[in-house]
Amino acid sequence: MAPRKLAAGNWKMNGTLAALAEIDRLLADHPQPGCDVLLCPPATLVHAAAARAGHIAIGGQDCHAQASGAHTGDIAAAQLVDAGASHVIIGHSERRSDHGETDIQIAAKAVAAHQAGLVAVICVGETEAQRDAGQTLDVISAQLAGSMPEGATAANTVIAYEPVWAIGTGRTPTSDQIAEVHALMRQRLSDRFADGGDVALLYGGSVKPGNAAEIFAIPHVNGALVGGASLKAQDFGPIIAALSAA
Ligand code: PEP
């Protein structure tokens, strides 16, 4: 089994019910895409989005490690499932920086996601200072080792490589830099997991219609996690098309 191709959108803290019209447009423009498509709207929109998403999968942007309890403001993985989600982003760099999430916490959240039946989209990525210091491969190796639980499989886990300095900045690594990290991730996953060669590896960080095809041509890039350009169907649609054609 080859890794499945996935175009994933992360709406972050953007959008109200009116934004769901973008899903209708995507469905109309891409009735049969040649890749999997996932949108992760804010938690308030997961249920309504799932009700109209057709072939587009809907995911959350975070979940708690516990199944229930006194955790004000948090969301359990089973609650996302109940709302219609099939995926959840775990360990996004904004969660790591805004909420101080550690690899250990992220692995625990991934376990919770798996137990609830969700696919965990686990994010890793170096800061600009770490890249400048030549630490990128060590940082990614450590994050992968620490954030992926033992029960991870190609069916329940997707990895997104998102350099922190490329998110929302309009800056992207060179193709060689992306290729180097993705080759490392594939090797690490194959070393550790029986089906590590089949885990989908996404690139994320300022993916746009104009650079998507070039990025999708890089070895071991099986798709993208897209922030800003996933908010509008007119931007996300061409990215879906580029991945379908890759
Ligand atoms: C992201 O938030 O995961 C992301 C990649 O954002 P952007 O595409 O806006 O850089």
Side-chain angles (χ1 to χ4, degrees), residues 43 46-48 50-51 58-64 67 75-88 109-120:
V46 165
H47 187 250
I58 298 298
Q61 297 175 11
D62 178 51
C63 71
H64 199 276
I75 298 174
Q79 292 172 320
L80 289 172
V81 173
D82 190 48
S86 55
H87 293 64
V88 62
K109 290 181 176 209
V111 169
H114 293 158
Q115 286 176 343
L118 292 170
V119 176

Side-chain angles (χ1 to χ4, degrees), residues 35-61:
C35 63
D36 294 336
V37 181
L38 166 69
L39 282 176
C40 299
T44 51
L45 296 179
V46 165
H47 187 250
R52 65 204 278 174
H55 64 72
I56 298 175
I58 298 298
Q61 297 175 11

Side-chain angles (χ1 to χ4, degrees), residues 10 12 92 162 166-168 204-206 225-228:
N10 173 15
K12 312 193 188 194
H92 190 279
E162 300 206 303
I167 294 176
S206 297
L225 180 54
V226 183

Side-chain angles (χ1 to χ4, degrees), residues 72-178:
T72 302
D74 281 313
I75 298 174
Q79 292 172 320
L80 289 172
V81 173
D82 190 48
S86 55
H87 293 64
V88 62
I89 298 170
I90 306 273
H92 190 279
S93 68
E94 288 152 15
R95 298 289 314 176
R96 290 178 185 260
S97 61
D98 293 0
H99 301 270
E101 292 188 6
T102 65
D103 288 336
I104 290 172
Q105 290 170 320
I106 291 160
K109 290 181 176 209
V111 169
H114 293 158
Q115 286 176 343
L118 292 170
V119 176
V121 181
I122 301 175
C123 302
V124 297
E126 81 285 1
T127 63
E128 186 159 31
Q130 289 166 332
R131 176 161 283 279
D132 289 347
Q135 299 168 344
T136 298
L137 299 186
D138 288 341
V139 168
I140 301 304
S141 293
Q143 289 182 343
L144 273 184
S147 304
M148 290 184 73
E150 279 310 318
T153 67
N156 68 18
T157 303
V158 172
I159 300 297
Y161 166 55
E162 300 206 303
V164 177
W165 52 273
I167 294 176
T169 60
R171 299 166 59 202
T172 53
T174 65
S175 293
D176 285 349
Q177 288 172 326
I178 296 174

